[in-house]
Amino acid sequence: MTDVDLFEEEAEALERAKSVLSSGTDDFARYRAALEELMQHYGQLMRQSRRLISRSDRTERELNLLNARLKQLSDELEYKARHDNLTGALNRGAVFDSAHRILEQSAMSVIVLDIDFFKRINDEFGHPTGDAVIRELVNRLRVALDGVGLIGRVGGEEFSILLADMPLDEAVLHAERIRHAIAGEAFPCLPSRPVTSSFGVSWSAAGGDFEDAYARADQALYEAKRGGRNRVERESAA
C-alpha cells in the first residue's frame, strides 16, 4: 500500500519556489508568482492547523469530561457495592470486610443492636413507616457516635458498630449513650409509640476472629432481649 503524503501539494509548491530562488533570474514576476503560491499554501496550512488544533482541544476537553464521568460512575458503583441503599450505612459484606481489616491491625469492640418489636411496627403502621424508623435510627446512631466507629446494617432491623482499638467498658458506655439517644425521644415518623433497641457488646484482641466476636455480641444481644429489651448486655466472661 502506497503511503499518502498529506502535504504533497505544499511540498511541490515549496520545491518550485526553491527552483525559482536558485535560478538567479531577474524576472520579478517569477519571484512574485512563487511567493504568492507559497503564501496561498501557507494560508491553507494555517487554516487547517487551526481546525486541527481546535478539534484536538475539543477532543481533549471531551475526553477529560468523559474520564471525570467514568471516575464518578466508578465511585458511585463502589459506594453502592459497600453501602445499604436505605440508610447509607455499610452493608453486611462491607462490615465484615472492614472488621477483618481492623483486627489485622488492632483490637476492636463490636456493638450489635436491633429494634425491639420491629415486626409489630411494620404490621401496624406499614413498611414505609418501618423504613422511616430505620433511617431515623441510623441518623441517631451517627449523632450519638459523633464520627466514632463504623456503622453497618447487617440485617433488616439489625445493626452493628465497629469500634477500633476501644476497650469493652468504653464500648458499653457508647452503647448506653446510643440506647438513650434512641429511646429518649419519640421518632417524628412514629410519634404514637416509643422506639427502643437492645444491645450486645463484645471485644476482640488484634488478630482475633470477627465471626467469633460477632457471635459473642449477638449472644449478648439475645440476653438483653431475654432481660426485657431496651438494655445493653456485654459478652459473658470466659
Side-chain angles (χ1 to χ4, degrees):
M1 182 177 178
T2 304
D3 292 336
V4 178
D5 187 352
L6 298 178
F7 302 102
E8 182 177 0
E9 292 184 3
E10 288 76 13
E12 290 175 355
L14 182 59
E15 288 301 320
R16 287 192 292 271
K18 288 180 178 179
S19 177
V20 171
L21 184 62
S22 63
S23 68
T25 180
D26 293 332
D27 188 347
F28 176 76
R30 289 187 64 193
Y31 286 116
R32 183 181 181 88
L35 179 59
E36 288 177 348
E37 185 180 19
L38 280 177
M39 290 175 62
Q40 177 184 354
H41 285 284
Y42 181 78
Q44 182 175 334
L45 281 174
M46 288 290 291
R47 290 190 295 273
Q48 291 174 345
S49 296
R50 288 194 181 100
R51 284 197 296 270
L52 288 173
I53 291 171
S54 176
R55 290 174 184 170
S56 176
D57 290 344
R58 184 171 63 251
T59 300
E60 183 177 1
R61 289 193 298 270
E62 291 172 351
L63 286 173
N64 288 338
L65 289 172
L66 179 60
N67 285 334
R69 179 57 178 155
L70 288 173
K71 176 64 165 59
Q72 180 184 358
L73 288 173
S74 175
D75 291 345
E76 290 175 1
L77 288 172
E78 181 179 1
Y79 181 88
K80 289 181 179 180
R82 291 179 53 80
H83 291 79
D84 170 55
N85 289 334
L86 180 63
T87 64
L90 294 176
N91 60 28
R92 184 181 181 88
V95 167
F96 277 70
D97 287 344
S98 299
H100 291 149
R101 286 197 297 270
I102 291 171
L103 286 172
E104 288 176 358
Q105 304 293 329
S106 69
M108 181 183 72
S109 286
V110 57
I111 300 172
V112 176
L113 65 138
D114 73 5
I115 302 172
D116 296 328
F117 303 113
F118 184 71
K119 185 177 184 303
R120 293 184 188 176
I121 294 175
N122 274 336
D123 291 345
E124 294 177 23
F125 300 94
H127 288 279
T129 297
D131 287 347
V133 167
I134 287 173
R135 286 193 296 267
E136 175 64 18
L137 181 134
V138 171
N139 288 338
R140 295 192 183 197
L141 294 183
R142 291 188 176 111
V143 171
L145 288 167
D146 193 24
V148 176
L150 297 175
I151 301 169
R153 184 183 181 193
V154 293
E157 72 274 18
E158 186 171 325
F159 304 85
S160 66
I161 301 166
L162 307 179
L163 299 163
D165 202 25
M166 182 175 289
L168 180 61
D169 288 345
E170 188 177 348
V172 170
L173 292 177
H174 275 288
E176 283 288 357
R177 187 180 302 115
I178 294 166
R179 186 183 68 81
H180 283 290
I182 294 169
E185 185 176 348
F187 280 34
C189 57
L190 192 63
S192 62
R193 61 167 294 170
V195 176
T196 64
S197 290
S198 301
F199 297 76
V201 189
S202 70
W203 178 88
S204 286
D209 179 75
F210 177 63
E211 282 74 8
D212 176 63
Y214 188 86
R216 287 184 277 115
D218 198 53
Q219 180 60 37
L221 169 62
Y222 177 73
E223 295 300 327
K225 288 188 174 295
R226 285 186 58 188
R229 294 181 169 82
N230 189 27
R231 58 187 294 132
V232 176
E233 292 287 347
R234 67 174 66 204
E235 63 180 334
S236 299

